[in-house]
């Protein structure tokens, strides 16, 4: 199932639950604007390559468009549209004054040199410069885009405007207007939600096993938070491999992070310069990792990981979605029937965009907060909106995703109606 199809099924289900005004529903089914373009890049060997780029602005009823840029070989318009729609729901679900957007480039950034990556990023900024800006649309990092890439985009946009515009993107390095805490914000927000789940289900973290798919910004920071809180991390994967613990003690996040940073792969069994206990781990496939018996499965890679094909074999009790769209809408139904609690992306990973919002506020005010202030404000937003969504879930005996969507849709409908659009 294509990501956009899943996304629109989720929309319909929640719209039915709250009897959403049909005109509002029709508006939310379509993006406001799609910009599709090509980016010519001079490669280091003198040849020219043309990359496909996208920016989809879904809805801005609640504020400027907001959403990351993905550099991935499989990025395409359907994926960017779905991600852009989910951003609209997410910003409304946590009550921050933004609409939703997303961008992408079909590229494998791992094979580009730094110079090529910089030229591609600046090319992207030039292609979208008329439609982005602090009051219009504010991009941020997503899969395989980094604070450095955000700094290049900010620099290119600032040259175009003729003055410094830090608020045009978020997720920047601290030195050029980034926020304290933005680097770990997605995982930190997800961890606050995990703490609420643990409280609701009366689980003891120290007796709880965790499997994490994806070991990038979202996944490895989450591994670190879980490790420090005493959870037992029994499985981890990245795009190249998956490892499973054989000792019963779980992985030490520091060891895995060190290896990932050094080798670019979570391959503890092949480490040479770093001491590690290779005999205690086994390699499995990513597909097997998802089916591992565990208490909590954290999805922090890409869309469509749990689908109708493997949902029957999922043994986790709770699924926490740090990735966007990792569970198809068909699989969602089955998980609900099986009594597996899915904590949806549009809430679980909203810490990233929430601290992006804080970064933008700080840029506009040119006044910067401490990390403690950032996390206090983040926690309040995550916890309060979780509580509201949980209440909707309980009252309607529905799944948590539909409840979070319902919360978001009520807010979107109010904004669309207040503007007099319908
Ligand atoms: P990242 O580029 O930092 O890391 C991506 C990770 O996923 C890498 O470890 C990569 O090896 C792994 N991966 C890729 N394909 C995989 C596969 N098939 N199986 C297992 N692992 C695979 O990206 P990120 O920022 O951590 O993003 C991960 C997910 O979280 C995405 O869905 C993204 O949209 C979502 N997300 C990220 C943020 C953020 O602030 N970074 C915010 C909200 C949502």
């Amino acid at each position: 199932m294509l990501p956009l199809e899943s996304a629109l099924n989720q929309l319909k289900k929640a719209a039915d639950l709250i009897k959403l005004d049909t005109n509002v529903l029709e508006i939310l089914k379509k993006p406001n604007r799609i910009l599709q373009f090509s980016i010519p890049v001079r490669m280091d060997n003198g040849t020219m390559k043309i990359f496909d780029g996208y920016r989809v602005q879904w809805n801005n009823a609640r504020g400027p468009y907001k959403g990351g840029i993905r550099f991935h070989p499989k990025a395409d318009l359907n994926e960017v549209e779905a991600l852009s729609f989910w951003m609209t729901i997410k910003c409304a679900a946590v009550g921050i004054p933004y609409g939703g957007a997303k961008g992408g480039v079909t590229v494998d950034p791992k094979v580009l040199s730094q110079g090529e990556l910089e030229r591609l990023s600046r090319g992207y900024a030039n292609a979208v410069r008329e439609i982005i800006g602090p009051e219009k649309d504010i991009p941020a990092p997503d899969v395989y885009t980094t604070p450095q890439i955000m700094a290049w985009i900010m620099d290119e946009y600032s040259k175009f405007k003729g003055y410094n515009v830090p608020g045009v993107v978020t997720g920047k390095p601290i030195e050029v207007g980034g926020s304290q805490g933005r680097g770990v914000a997605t995982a930190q927000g997800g961890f606050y939600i995990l703490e609420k789940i643990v409280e609701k289900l009366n689980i003891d973290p120290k007796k709880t096993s965790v499997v994490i798919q994806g070991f990038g910004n979202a996944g490895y920071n989450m591994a670190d938070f879980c490790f420090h809180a005493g959870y037992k991390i029994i499985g981890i994967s990245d795009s190249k491999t998956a490892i499973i613990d054989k000792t019963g003690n779980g992985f030490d996040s520091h060891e895995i992070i060190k290896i990932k940073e050094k080798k670019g792969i979570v391959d503890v069994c092949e480490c040479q310069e770093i001491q590690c206990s290779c005999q205690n781990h086994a390699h499995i496939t990513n597909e097997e990792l998802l089916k591992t018996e565990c208490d909590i499965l954290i999805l922090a890679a890409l869309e469509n990981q749990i689908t109708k094909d493997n949902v029957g074999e999922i043994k986790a009790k709770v699924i926490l979605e740090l990735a966007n769209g990792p569970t198809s809408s068909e699989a969602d139904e089955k998980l609900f029937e099986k009594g597996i609690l899915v904590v949806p992306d549009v809430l679980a990973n909203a810490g990233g965009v929430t601290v992006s919002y804080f970064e933008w506020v700080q840029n506009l005010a040119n006044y910067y907060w401490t990390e403690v202030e950032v996390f206090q404000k983040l926690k309040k937003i995550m916890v309060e909106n979780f509580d509201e969504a949980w209440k909707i879930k309980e009252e309607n005996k529905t799944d948590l995703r539909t409840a979070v969507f319902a919360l978001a849709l009520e807010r979107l409908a109010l904004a669309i109606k207040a503007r007099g659009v319908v």
Side-chain angles (χ1 to χ4, degrees):
M1 182 179 271
L2 291 172
L4 187 58
E5 200 184 333
S6 258
L8 295 179
N9 286 341
Q10 295 163 353
L11 169 64
K12 179 156 189 334
K13 190 171 177 199
D16 287 348
L17 178 76
I18 61 166
K19 300 188 176 47
L20 183 70
D21 182 311
T22 50
N23 291 322
V24 173
L25 177 60
E26 289 309 309
I27 287 172
L28 290 174
K29 275 185 189 168
K30 295 239 156 72
N32 285 354
R33 170 152 59 184
I34 295 175
L35 186 65
Q36 192 167 354
F37 44 90
S38 50
I39 311 171
V41 174
R42 179 74 64 196
M43 306 306 279
D44 289 351
N45 63 9
T47 61
M48 177 75 84
K49 260 198 184 162
I50 314 291
F51 295 94
D52 292 322
Y54 316 90
R55 186 77 187 166
V56 176
Q57 298 176 328
W58 198 272
N59 187 279
N60 64 348
R62 299 188 73 259
Y65 298 106
K66 182 86 187 88
I69 304 168
R70 177 172 293 193
F71 284 1
H72 193 275
K74 292 201 177 129
D76 63 15
L77 184 57
N78 186 286
E79 179 183 70
V80 178
E81 282 187 275
L83 291 165
S84 162
F85 166 76
W86 283 318
M87 285 307 297
T88 306
I89 297 295
K90 190 183 305 179
C91 293
V94 287
I96 56 175
Y98 279 145
K102 204 81 183 194
V105 177
T106 314
V107 59
D108 181 358
K110 291 180 187 171
V111 302
L112 300 186
S113 69
Q114 271 293 97
E116 290 165 345
L117 191 62
E118 176 172 353
R119 292 192 287 282
L120 176 65
S121 306
R122 290 185 185 275
Y124 187 92
N126 277 309
V128 298
R129 68 188 194 184
E130 299 290 350
I131 63 160
I132 63 168
E135 281 86 33
K136 289 188 196 173
D137 180 356
I138 308 118
D142 189 71
V143 174
Y144 300 153
T145 50
T146 59
Q148 174 62 75
I149 291 174
M150 295 307 115
W152 289 327
I153 293 176
M154 185 272 280
D155 184 64
E156 197 63 22
Y157 183 80
S158 296
K159 283 197 280 187
F160 163 61
K161 296 301 281 186
Y163 53 90
N164 200 21
V165 193
V168 65
V169 287
T170 57
K172 301 178 291 294
I174 299 282
E175 299 72 33
V176 287
S179 176
Q180 297 292 339
R182 178 61 184 89
V184 301
T186 303
Q188 180 67 77
F191 191 74
Y192 292 142
I193 297 294
L194 179 61
E195 286 181 317
K196 288 298 294 183
I197 295 293
V198 160
E199 182 192 306
K200 292 280 177 203
L201 305 184
N202 208 6
I203 299 172
D204 176 1
K206 302 221 160 34
K207 294 184 187 142
T208 302
S209 56
V210 175
V211 165
I212 303 177
Q213 184 203 35
F215 210 65
N217 175 283
Y220 82 68
N221 285 309
M222 191 64 174
D224 216 29
F225 286 125
C226 288
F227 176 73
H228 286 284
Y231 291 87
K232 206 182 290 174
I233 304 169
I234 59 166
I236 288 178
S237 73
D238 61 15
S239 61
K240 301 193 191 86
T241 191
I243 50 172
I244 192 102
D245 171 65
K246 289 198 298 190
T247 63
N249 298 323
F251 292 115
D252 177 334
S253 62
H254 302 128
E255 186 182 290
I256 312 282
I257 288 168
K258 242 192 311 185
I259 287 159
K260 176 78 181 168
E261 275 170 3
K262 202 166 175 70
K263 300 176 62 186
I265 177 170
V266 293
D267 193 352
V268 249
C269 297
E270 280 175 24
C271 49
Q272 287 153 4
E273 289 153 52
I274 300 163
Q275 243 198 338
C276 48
S277 40
C278 303
Q279 69 276 21
N280 295 331
H281 314 127
H283 281 263
I284 55 172
T285 64
N286 233 303
E287 190 55 35
E288 287 165 337
L289 182 96
L290 297 174
K291 299 172 188 166
T292 304
E293 186 129 16
C294 64
D295 296 310
I296 298 173
L297 173 61
I298 298 176
L299 302 172
L302 294 169
E303 304 86 57
N304 266 332
Q305 299 304 302
I306 301 188
T307 65
K308 64 177 176 18
D309 300 328
N310 63 2
V311 66
E313 293 165 273
I314 302 301
K315 300 176 199 78
K317 298 187 183 79
V318 176
I319 295 174
L320 186 107
E321 297 181 337
L322 286 187
N324 286 303
T327 311
S328 78
S329 57
E330 295 159 321
D332 235 0
E333 297 288 331
K334 296 269 177 308
L335 292 169
F336 186 61
E337 284 164 21
K338 282 172 73 171
I340 297 176
L341 174 65
V342 180
V343 189
D345 46 9
V346 285
L347 178 65
N349 70 30
V353 72
T354 302
V355 177
S356 271
Y357 164 56
F358 297 160
E359 179 176 332
W360 176 80
V361 168
Q362 293 170 80
N363 292 154
L364 297 189
N366 206 6
Y367 177 75
Y368 289 85
W369 311 342
T370 64
E371 191 178 77
V372 172
E373 283 175 279
V374 168
F375 289 146
Q376 267 170 358
K377 288 179 170 65
L378 173 64
K379 187 168 188 175
K380 185 170 184 299
I381 287 182
M382 298 306 293
V383 166
E384 284 178 1
N385 288 292
F386 172 88
D387 287 340
E388 274 201 60
W390 191 267
K391 195 159 157 251
I392 298 173
K393 165 187 147 11
E394 297 287 286
E395 281 172 2
N396 294 281
K397 299 194 174 13
T398 189
D399 58 282
L400 190 54
R401 187 187 316 279
T402 304
V404 176
F405 265 63
L407 178 64
L409 290 177
E410 298 278 15
R411 290 171 178 166
L412 280 157
L414 286 175
I416 291 169
K417 285 181 183 166
R419 284 168 175 268
V421 181
V422 299

